[in-house]
Amino acid sequence: MRHLFTQFYLLVFGCFLVAALLMGGIYQFTEERTGNRYLEGLVQDFLDRLTQELATVPQPQWPAKIDDFSQRLHLALHTAPLDTQPLAREDIAFLQAGNIVIVEDDATFRQRIPNSNMVLIIGPVPYLSFRHEQHWLVLGFIVLLGLSLAIPILLWMRPHWRDMQQLEAAAKRLGNGELNARAALDNSSSLATLGHTFDQMAQRLQELISGRKQLTDAIAHELRTPLVRLRYRLALLEPAPSQADSAALEHDIEALEFLIEEMLTYSRLNQPELPLQLSDMELGQWARERLADWQAQGAAHRVTLSCPKAPIYWRGDVRLLTRAMDNLVGNAVRHGHSEVQIRLTQDTPQWICLSVQDDGPGVATKEAQRIFEPFVRLDESRDRRTGGIGLGLAIVRSIAQLHGGEISLQPSNQGALFCLKLPVHLDTNGYQSSTDPQHPAA
């Protein structure tokens, strides 16, 4: 709220200040011109009389005349040489021409005595002193009035800000997977329409996700039943099919079962409320323990692992990380020729990268984003002939997003190079945290 209040207040205060200075400047210019002309008229008559009388008497008698006028007018009067006046050259010339000069700095009027090199000085005049101080009074009044604008702005903004915070909190909860989160703003709120629209959207989203989950589970259940029947009837088929036909039928049934399993996995991973089973682990040791399984995936391929000597500690769901790496290695084995390289690196204290590279034909740059979409198979080498159903990389992307990371296709001179980038530490809600007291980042 502080940032929003400051912006709004500065905007209002700036507009008010410009308007006040503009109107005040016009008024002050008009008032000063009128006041100066009036004062000049009064002082001109007085100075004309005084200077004329001084011009008719010898200079030694001037102090007596000046004291007499000063007592009658209750104003300080004295004389000084023209060449000692602390005035600009233009003002000196103005005095020499017989005109009156008003000096606001010391609140005095000055005029040269005719036929002499002396200047008659009247003041300080109280009115001029007050007008000089008035500038600061006006400035202080404008500042005080501007500061007082903060109170009504704050009172007006506070209920709006409270409703915005309530709406923001509901949006964050919904984004974190709490599909029952609602803003529930009062009907009297100025944001009631926005809040009700948000609640309707959240309700619709909850219904859609729930319906999709129910549909996926129902389809998987209904598909498994005929698959079991097919296996049973295949076993009881008379006369028994040839071994080749039986193996082909069995292969097709296993492909259907694999498709169902992948669909269920992808559906579960895309549930916002899916909880992560977080644990702490050292990634280098985990990768070395998994290397034998990855080599088994590519019996005809050479699978190598590269890890830094320093330990890399990670906090996340080990089960999902294993599934993601199995999919990446399986994808590399399926499309590579003879070698798969697995690397574990940590370029920054906050992020680690698990990369898998094959020596196959690679993927075109324009397909780098499409390849992570579900059921997407690319032309040429990465199509149905290589196996798979197009969900492996989509599942990897879902696992990366659940951990606050990402999967990307990196530029490579040979084959396809995938980088699974993950934050080093996660809190219990699946968001990156800056520190881990048990395992400091390597």
Coordinates of all heavy atoms in Angstrom, one line a residue, residues 160-232:
H160 N -10.1 0.4 -0.1 CA -9.8 -0.1 -1.4 C -8.6 -1.0 -1.4 O -8.6 -2.1 -2.0 CB -9.6 1.0 -2.5 CG -10.7 1.9 -2.7 ND1 -11.1 2.9 -1.9 CD2 -11.6 1.9 -3.7 CE1 -12.2 3.5 -2.3 NE2 -12.5 2.9 -3.5
W161 N -7.6 -0.6 -0.6 CA -6.3 -1.4 -0.5 C -6.6 -2.7 0.2 O -6.1 -3.7 -0.1 CB -5.3 -0.6 0.2 CG -4.0 -1.3 0.3 CD1 -3.5 -1.8 1.5 CD2 -3.1 -1.7 -0.7 NE1 -2.3 -2.5 1.2 CE2 -2.0 -2.4 -0.1 CE3 -3.1 -1.4 -2.1 CZ2 -1.0 -2.9 -0.9 CZ3 -2.0 -1.9 -2.8 CH2 -1.0 -2.6 -2.2
R162 N -7.4 -2.6 1.3 CA -7.8 -3.8 2.0 C -8.5 -4.9 1.1 O -8.2 -6.1 1.2 CB -8.7 -3.5 3.2 CG -9.0 -4.6 4.1 CD -9.8 -4.2 5.3 NE -11.0 -3.6 4.9 CZ -11.3 -2.3 5.1 NH1 -10.4 -1.5 5.7 NH2 -12.5 -1.8 4.7
D163 N -9.4 -4.4 0.3 CA -10.1 -5.3 -0.6 C -9.1 -5.8 -1.7 O -9.2 -7.0 -2.1 CB -11.2 -4.6 -1.3 CG -12.3 -4.2 -0.3 OD1 -12.4 -4.9 0.8 OD2 -13.1 -3.3 -0.6
M164 N -8.2 -5.0 -2.2 CA -7.2 -5.5 -3.1 C -6.3 -6.5 -2.5 O -5.9 -7.5 -3.2 CB -6.4 -4.3 -3.7 CG -7.2 -3.3 -4.5 SD -6.2 -1.8 -5.0 CE -4.9 -2.6 -5.9
Q165 N -5.9 -6.3 -1.3 CA -5.1 -7.4 -0.6 C -5.8 -8.7 -0.5 O -5.3 -9.8 -0.6 CB -4.6 -6.8 0.7 CG -3.5 -5.8 0.7 CD -3.0 -5.5 2.1 OE1 -3.8 -5.2 3.0 NE2 -1.7 -5.4 2.3
Q166 N -7.1 -8.6 -0.1 CA -7.9 -9.8 0.0 C -8.1 -10.5 -1.3 O -8.0 -11.7 -1.4 CB -9.3 -9.4 0.5 CG -10.2 -10.5 0.9 CD -11.5 -10.1 1.6 OE1 -11.6 -8.9 2.1 NE2 -12.5 -10.9 1.7
L167 N -8.2 -9.7 -2.4 CA -8.3 -10.3 -3.7 C -7.0 -10.9 -4.1 O -6.9 -12.0 -4.7 CB -8.7 -9.2 -4.7 CG -9.1 -9.7 -6.1 CD1 -10.3 -10.7 -6.1 CD2 -9.4 -8.5 -7.0
E168 N -5.9 -10.2 -3.8 CA -4.5 -10.8 -4.2 C -4.3 -12.1 -3.4 O -3.7 -13.0 -3.9 CB -3.5 -9.7 -3.8 CG -2.1 -10.2 -4.2 CD -1.0 -9.1 -3.8 OE1 -1.4 -8.2 -3.1 OE2 0.1 -9.3 -4.1
A169 N -4.6 -12.1 -2.1 CA -4.4 -13.3 -1.3 C -5.2 -14.5 -1.9 O -4.7 -15.6 -2.0 CB -4.8 -13.0 0.1
A170 N -6.4 -14.2 -2.3 CA -7.2 -15.3 -2.9 C -6.6 -15.8 -4.2 O -6.6 -17.0 -4.5 CB -8.6 -14.8 -3.1
A171 N -6.1 -14.9 -5.0 CA -5.4 -15.2 -6.3 C -4.2 -16.1 -6.0 O -3.9 -17.1 -6.7 CB -5.1 -14.0 -7.1
K172 N -3.4 -15.7 -5.0 CA -2.2 -16.5 -4.7 C -2.6 -17.9 -4.2 O -1.9 -18.9 -4.6 CB -1.4 -15.8 -3.6 CG -0.6 -14.6 -4.1 CD 0.2 -13.9 -3.0 CE 1.0 -12.8 -3.6 NZ 1.8 -12.1 -2.5
R173 N -3.6 -18.0 -3.4 CA -4.0 -19.3 -2.9 C -4.5 -20.2 -4.0 O -4.2 -21.4 -4.1 CB -5.1 -19.1 -1.8 CG -4.6 -18.5 -0.5 CD -5.8 -18.2 0.4 NE -6.7 -19.4 0.6 CZ -7.9 -19.3 0.9 NH1 -8.5 -18.1 1.1 NH2 -8.6 -20.4 1.1
L174 N -5.2 -19.5 -5.0 CA -5.7 -20.3 -6.1 C -4.5 -20.8 -7.0 O -4.5 -21.9 -7.5 CB -6.7 -19.4 -6.9 CG -7.4 -20.1 -8.1 CD1 -8.3 -21.2 -7.6 CD2 -8.1 -19.1 -9.0
G175 N -3.5 -19.9 -7.2 CA -2.4 -20.3 -7.9 C -1.6 -21.3 -7.3 O -0.9 -22.1 -7.9
N176 N -1.6 -21.4 -5.9 CA -0.9 -22.5 -5.2 C -1.6 -23.8 -5.1 O -1.1 -24.8 -4.5 CB -0.6 -22.0 -3.8 CG 0.4 -20.9 -3.7 OD1 1.1 -20.7 -4.7 ND2 0.4 -20.1 -2.6
G177 N -2.8 -23.9 -5.8 CA -3.5 -25.1 -5.8 C -4.7 -25.2 -4.9 O -5.4 -26.2 -4.9
E178 N -5.0 -24.2 -4.1 CA -6.2 -24.2 -3.3 C -7.4 -23.8 -4.1 O -7.8 -22.6 -4.2 CB -6.0 -23.3 -2.1 CG -4.9 -23.7 -1.2 CD -4.8 -22.7 0.0 OE1 -5.8 -22.3 0.6 OE2 -3.6 -22.4 0.4
L179 N -8.0 -24.7 -4.8 CA -9.1 -24.4 -5.7 C -10.3 -23.9 -5.0 O -11.2 -23.4 -5.7 CB -9.4 -25.7 -6.6 CG -8.3 -26.2 -7.4 CD1 -8.7 -27.4 -8.2 CD2 -7.8 -25.1 -8.4
N180 N -10.4 -24.1 -3.7 CA -11.6 -23.5 -3.0 C -11.4 -22.1 -2.5 O -12.2 -21.6 -1.8 CB -12.0 -24.4 -1.9 CG -10.8 -24.6 -0.9 OD1 -9.7 -24.2 -1.2 ND2 -11.1 -25.1 0.3
A181 N -10.3 -21.5 -2.9 CA -10.0 -20.1 -2.5 C -11.0 -19.1 -3.2 O -11.2 -19.2 -4.4 CB -8.6 -19.7 -2.8
R182 N -11.5 -18.2 -2.4 CA -12.5 -17.2 -2.9 C -12.1 -15.9 -2.3 O -11.7 -15.8 -1.1 CB -13.9 -17.6 -2.6 CG -14.4 -18.9 -3.1 CD -14.5 -18.9 -4.6 NE -15.0 -20.1 -5.2 CZ -14.2 -21.2 -5.5 NH1 -12.9 -21.1 -5.4 NH2 -14.8 -22.3 -6.0
A183 N -12.4 -14.8 -3.0 CA -12.2 -13.4 -2.5 C -13.2 -13.0 -1.5 O -12.9 -12.5 -0.4 CB -12.1 -12.4 -3.6
A184 N -14.5 -13.4 -1.7 CA -15.6 -13.1 -0.8 C -15.6 -11.7 -0.3 O -15.7 -11.4 0.9 CB -15.5 -14.1 0.4
L185 N -15.6 -10.7 -1.3 CA -15.7 -9.3 -0.9 C -17.1 -8.9 -0.6 O -18.1 -9.5 -1.1 CB -15.2 -8.4 -2.1 CG -13.7 -8.6 -2.5 CD1 -13.4 -7.7 -3.7 CD2 -12.8 -8.4 -1.3
D186 N -17.3 -7.9 0.3 CA -18.6 -7.4 0.7 C -19.3 -6.7 -0.5 O -18.6 -6.2 -1.4 CB -18.5 -6.5 1.8 CG -18.0 -7.1 3.1 OD1 -18.2 -8.4 3.3 OD2 -17.4 -6.4 4.0
N187 N -20.6 -6.8 -0.5 CA -21.3 -6.1 -1.6 C -21.1 -4.6 -1.6 O -21.3 -4.0 -2.6 CB -22.8 -6.5 -1.5 CG -23.1 -8.0 -1.8 OD1 -22.3 -8.6 -2.6 ND2 -24.1 -8.5 -1.2
S188 N -20.8 -4.1 -0.4 CA -20.6 -2.6 -0.3 C -19.2 -2.2 -0.8 O -19.0 -1.0 -0.9 CB -20.7 -2.2 1.2 OG -19.8 -2.9 2.0
S189 N -18.3 -3.1 -1.1 CA -17.0 -2.8 -1.6 C -17.1 -2.2 -3.0 O -17.9 -2.6 -3.8 CB -16.1 -4.0 -1.5 OG -14.9 -3.8 -2.2
S190 N -16.2 -1.3 -3.3 CA -16.1 -0.7 -4.6 C -15.5 -1.7 -5.6 O -15.7 -1.5 -6.8 CB -15.2 0.5 -4.6 OG -13.9 0.2 -4.1
L191 N -14.9 -2.8 -5.1 CA -14.4 -3.8 -6.0 C -15.2 -5.1 -5.9 O -14.8 -6.2 -6.3 CB -12.9 -4.2 -5.5 CG -11.9 -3.1 -5.5 CD1 -10.6 -3.6 -5.0 CD2 -11.7 -2.5 -6.9
A192 N -16.5 -4.9 -5.5 CA -17.4 -6.1 -5.4 C -17.6 -6.8 -6.7 O -17.6 -8.0 -6.7 CB -18.7 -5.6 -4.8
T193 N -17.8 -6.0 -7.8 CA -18.0 -6.6 -9.1 C -16.8 -7.5 -9.5 O -16.9 -8.6 -10.0 CB -18.3 -5.6 -10.1 OG1 -19.4 -4.8 -9.7 CG2 -18.6 -6.2 -11.5
L194 N -15.6 -6.9 -9.3 CA -14.3 -7.6 -9.6 C -14.2 -8.9 -8.8 O -13.8 -9.9 -9.2 CB -13.1 -6.7 -9.4 CG -11.8 -7.3 -9.7 CD1 -11.7 -7.8 -11.1 CD2 -10.7 -6.3 -9.4
G195 N -14.5 -8.7 -7.5 CA -14.4 -9.9 -6.6 C -15.4 -11.0 -6.9 O -15.0 -12.2 -6.9
H196 N -16.6 -10.6 -7.3 CA -17.6 -11.6 -7.7 C -17.2 -12.3 -9.0 O -17.4 -13.5 -9.1 CB -19.0 -11.0 -7.8 CG -19.5 -10.4 -6.6 ND1 -19.2 -10.9 -5.3 CD2 -20.4 -9.5 -6.3 CE1 -19.8 -10.3 -4.4 NE2 -20.6 -9.4 -5.0
T197 N -16.6 -11.5 -9.9 CA -16.2 -12.1 -11.2 C -15.0 -13.1 -10.9 O -15.0 -14.2 -11.5 CB -15.7 -11.0 -12.1 OG1 -16.8 -10.1 -12.3 CG2 -15.3 -11.6 -13.5
F198 N -14.1 -12.7 -10.0 CA -13.0 -13.6 -9.7 C -13.5 -14.9 -9.0 O -13.1 -16.0 -9.3 CB -12.1 -12.9 -8.7 CG -11.0 -13.8 -8.2 CD1 -9.8 -14.0 -8.9 CD2 -11.1 -14.4 -6.9 CE1 -8.8 -14.8 -8.4 CE2 -10.1 -15.3 -6.4 CZ -8.9 -15.4 -7.2
D199 N -14.5 -14.8 -8.1 CA -15.1 -16.0 -7.5 C -15.7 -16.9 -8.5 O -15.6 -18.1 -8.4 CB -16.0 -15.6 -6.4 CG -15.3 -14.9 -5.2 OD1 -14.1 -15.0 -5.1 OD2 -16.0 -14.2 -4.4
Q200 N -16.4 -16.3 -9.4 CA -17.1 -17.1 -10.5 C -16.0 -17.8 -11.3 O -16.2 -19.0 -11.7 CB -18.0 -16.2 -11.4 CG -19.2 -15.7 -10.6 CD -20.0 -14.7 -11.5 OE1 -19.6 -14.4 -12.6 NE2 -21.0 -14.1 -10.9
M201 N -14.9 -17.1 -11.6 CA -13.9 -17.7 -12.4 C -13.2 -18.9 -11.6 O -13.0 -20.0 -12.2 CB -12.8 -16.7 -12.7 CG -11.6 -17.2 -13.5 SD -10.2 -16.1 -13.5 CE -9.7 -16.2 -11.7
A202 N -13.0 -18.7 -10.3 CA -12.4 -19.7 -9.5 C -13.3 -20.9 -9.4 O -12.9 -22.1 -9.4 CB -12.1 -19.2 -8.1
Q203 N -14.6 -20.7 -9.3 CA -15.6 -21.8 -9.2 C -15.6 -22.6 -10.5 O -15.6 -23.8 -10.5 CB -17.0 -21.2 -8.9 CG -18.1 -22.2 -8.8 CD -17.9 -23.2 -7.6 OE1 -17.3 -22.8 -6.6 NE2 -18.4 -24.4 -7.7
R204 N -15.6 -21.8 -11.6 CA -15.6 -22.5 -12.9 C -14.3 -23.3 -13.1 O -14.3 -24.4 -13.6 CB -15.7 -21.5 -14.0 CG -15.8 -22.0 -15.4 CD -16.9 -23.0 -15.6 NE -17.0 -23.4 -17.0 CZ -17.7 -24.5 -17.4 NH1 -18.4 -25.2 -16.5 NH2 -17.7 -24.8 -18.6
L205 N -13.2 -22.7 -12.7 CA -11.9 -23.4 -12.8 C -11.9 -24.7 -12.0 O -11.4 -25.7 -12.4 CB -10.8 -22.5 -12.4 CG -9.3 -23.0 -12.5 CD1 -9.0 -23.3 -13.9 CD2 -8.3 -22.0 -11.9
Q206 N -12.4 -24.6 -10.8 CA -12.5 -25.8 -9.9 C -13.3 -26.9 -10.5 O -13.0 -28.1 -10.5 CB -13.0 -25.4 -8.5 CG -13.0 -26.5 -7.5 CD -13.5 -26.1 -6.2 OE1 -14.2 -25.1 -6.0 NE2 -13.2 -26.9 -5.1
E207 N -14.5 -26.5 -11.1 CA -15.3 -27.5 -11.7 C -14.7 -28.1 -12.9 O -14.8 -29.3 -13.2 CB -16.6 -26.8 -12.1 CG -17.5 -26.3 -10.9 CD -18.7 -25.5 -11.4 OE1 -18.8 -25.3 -12.6 OE2 -19.5 -25.2 -10.5
L208 N -13.9 -27.3 -13.7 CA -13.3 -27.8 -14.9 C -12.2 -28.8 -14.6 O -12.1 -29.9 -15.2 CB -12.7 -26.7 -15.8 CG -13.7 -25.8 -16.5 CD1 -13.0 -24.6 -17.2 CD2 -14.4 -26.6 -17.6
I209 N -11.4 -28.4 -13.6 CA -10.3 -29.3 -13.2 C -10.8 -30.6 -12.6 O -10.3 -31.7 -12.9 CB -9.3 -28.6 -12.2 CG1 -8.6 -27.5 -13.0 CG2 -8.3 -29.5 -11.6 CD1 -7.7 -26.6 -12.1
S210 N -11.8 -30.4 -11.7 CA -12.4 -31.6 -11.1 C -13.0 -32.5 -12.2 O -12.9 -33.7 -12.2 CB -13.5 -31.2 -10.1 OG -14.1 -32.3 -9.5
G211 N -13.7 -31.9 -13.1 CA -14.3 -32.7 -14.2 C -13.3 -33.4 -15.1 O -13.5 -34.5 -15.5
R212 N -12.2 -32.7 -15.4 CA -11.2 -33.3 -16.2 C -10.5 -34.5 -15.5 O -10.3 -35.5 -16.1 CB -10.1 -32.3 -16.5 CG -9.1 -32.8 -17.5 CD -8.0 -31.8 -17.8 NE -7.1 -31.7 -16.6 CZ -5.9 -31.0 -16.6 NH1 -5.6 -30.3 -17.7 NH2 -5.2 -30.9 -15.5
K213 N -10.3 -34.4 -14.2 CA -9.7 -35.5 -13.4 C -10.7 -36.6 -13.4 O -10.3 -37.8 -13.6 CB -9.4 -35.0 -12.0 CG -8.8 -36.0 -11.1 CD -8.4 -35.5 -9.8 CE -7.6 -36.5 -8.9 NZ -8.4 -37.8 -8.7
Q214 N -12.0 -36.4 -13.2 CA -12.9 -37.5 -13.1 C -13.0 -38.1 -14.5 O -13.1 -39.4 -14.6 CB -14.3 -36.9 -12.7 CG -14.4 -36.4 -11.3 CD -15.7 -35.8 -11.0 OE1 -16.6 -35.8 -11.8 NE2 -15.9 -35.3 -9.7
L215 N -13.0 -37.3 -15.6 CA -13.0 -37.9 -16.9 C -11.8 -38.8 -17.2 O -11.9 -39.9 -17.8 CB -13.1 -36.7 -18.0 CG -13.1 -37.2 -19.4 CD1 -14.4 -38.0 -19.7 CD2 -13.1 -35.9 -20.3
T216 N -10.6 -38.3 -16.8 CA -9.4 -39.0 -17.1 C -9.4 -40.4 -16.3 O -9.1 -41.4 -16.9 CB -8.2 -38.2 -16.7 OG1 -8.2 -37.0 -17.4 CG2 -6.9 -39.0 -17.0
D217 N -9.8 -40.3 -15.0 CA -9.9 -41.5 -14.2 C -10.9 -42.5 -14.8 O -10.7 -43.7 -14.8 CB -10.2 -41.2 -12.8 CG -9.1 -40.4 -12.1 OD1 -8.0 -40.4 -12.6 OD2 -9.4 -39.8 -11.1
A218 N -12.0 -41.9 -15.2 CA -13.1 -42.8 -15.8 C -12.6 -43.5 -17.1 O -12.9 -44.7 -17.3 CB -14.4 -42.0 -16.0
I219 N -12.0 -42.7 -17.9 CA -11.5 -43.3 -19.2 C -10.5 -44.3 -19.0 O -10.5 -45.4 -19.6 CB -11.0 -42.1 -20.1 CG1 -12.1 -41.2 -20.6 CG2 -10.2 -42.7 -21.3 CD1 -11.6 -40.1 -21.4
A220 N -9.5 -44.0 -18.0 CA -8.5 -45.0 -17.7 C -9.1 -46.3 -17.2 O -8.7 -47.4 -17.5 CB -7.5 -44.4 -16.7
H221 N -10.1 -46.2 -16.3 CA -10.7 -47.4 -15.7 C -11.5 -48.1 -16.8 O -11.4 -49.4 -16.9 CB -11.7 -46.9 -14.6 CG -12.5 -48.1 -14.1 ND1 -11.9 -49.0 -13.2 CD2 -13.8 -48.4 -14.2 CE1 -12.8 -49.9 -12.9 NE2 -14.0 -49.6 -13.5
E222 N -12.2 -47.4 -17.7 CA -13.0 -48.1 -18.7 C -12.1 -48.8 -19.7 O -12.4 -49.8 -20.3 CB -13.9 -47.1 -19.4 CG -15.0 -46.6 -18.5 CD -15.9 -47.7 -17.9 OE1 -16.2 -48.7 -18.7 OE2 -16.3 -47.6 -16.8
L223 N -10.9 -48.2 -20.0 CA -10.0 -48.8 -21.0 C -9.3 -50.0 -20.4 O -9.0 -50.9 -21.1 CB -8.9 -47.8 -21.4 CG -9.4 -46.7 -22.4 CD1 -8.3 -45.7 -22.7 CD2 -9.9 -47.3 -23.7
R224 N -9.0 -50.0 -19.1 CA -8.3 -51.1 -18.5 C -9.2 -52.4 -18.5 O -8.7 -53.5 -18.7 CB -7.9 -50.8 -17.1 CG -6.6 -50.0 -17.0 CD -6.3 -49.6 -15.6 NE -5.0 -49.0 -15.5 CZ -4.6 -48.2 -14.5 NH1 -5.5 -48.0 -13.5 NH2 -3.4 -47.7 -14.4
T225 N -10.5 -52.2 -18.4 CA -11.4 -53.4 -18.4 C -11.3 -54.2 -19.7 O -11.1 -55.4 -19.7 CB -12.8 -53.0 -18.1 OG1 -12.8 -52.3 -16.8 CG2 -13.7 -54.2 -18.0
P226 N -11.5 -53.5 -20.9 CA -11.4 -54.3 -22.1 C -10.0 -54.8 -22.4 O -9.8 -55.9 -23.0 CB -11.8 -53.3 -23.2 CG -11.7 -52.0 -22.6 CD -11.9 -52.2 -21.1
L227 N -8.9 -54.2 -21.8 CA -7.6 -54.7 -22.0 C -7.4 -56.0 -21.3 O -6.8 -56.9 -21.8 CB -6.6 -53.6 -21.5 CG -6.3 -52.5 -22.5 CD1 -5.3 -51.5 -21.8 CD2 -5.8 -52.9 -23.8
V228 N -7.9 -56.0 -20.0 CA -7.9 -57.3 -19.3 C -8.6 -58.4 -20.0 O -8.2 -59.6 -20.1 CB -8.4 -57.1 -17.9 CG1 -8.5 -58.4 -17.1 CG2 -7.5 -56.1 -17.1
R229 N -9.8 -58.1 -20.6 CA -10.5 -59.1 -21.4 C -9.8 -59.5 -22.6 O -9.8 -60.7 -22.9 CB -11.9 -58.5 -21.8 CG -12.8 -58.2 -20.6 CD -14.1 -57.5 -21.1 NE -15.0 -57.2 -20.0 CZ -16.0 -56.4 -20.1 NH1 -16.3 -55.9 -21.3 NH2 -16.8 -56.2 -19.1
L230 N -9.1 -58.6 -23.2 CA -8.3 -59.0 -24.4 C -7.2 -60.0 -24.1 O -7.0 -61.0 -24.8 CB -7.7 -57.7 -25.1 CG -8.6 -56.9 -25.9 CD1 -7.9 -55.6 -26.4 CD2 -9.1 -57.7 -27.2
R231 N -6.5 -59.7 -22.9 CA -5.5 -60.6 -22.5 C -6.0 -62.0 -22.2 O -5.5 -63.0 -22.5 CB -4.8 -60.1 -21.3 CG -3.8 -58.9 -21.5 CD -3.0 -58.5 -20.3 NE -2.1 -57.4 -20.5 CZ -0.9 -57.6 -21.0 NH1 -0.5 -58.8 -21.3 NH2 -0.1 -56.5 -21.1
Y232 N -7.2 -62.0 -21.5 CA -7.8 -63.3 -21.2 C -8.3 -64.0 -22.4 O -8.0 -65.2 -22.5 CB -9.0 -63.0 -20.2 CG -9.8 -64.2 -19.8 CD1 -9.2 -65.1 -18.9 CD2 -11.0 -64.5 -20.4 CE1 -9.9 -66.2 -18.5 CE2 -11.7 -65.6 -20.0 CZ -11.2 -66.5 -19.0 OH -11.9 -67.6 -18.7

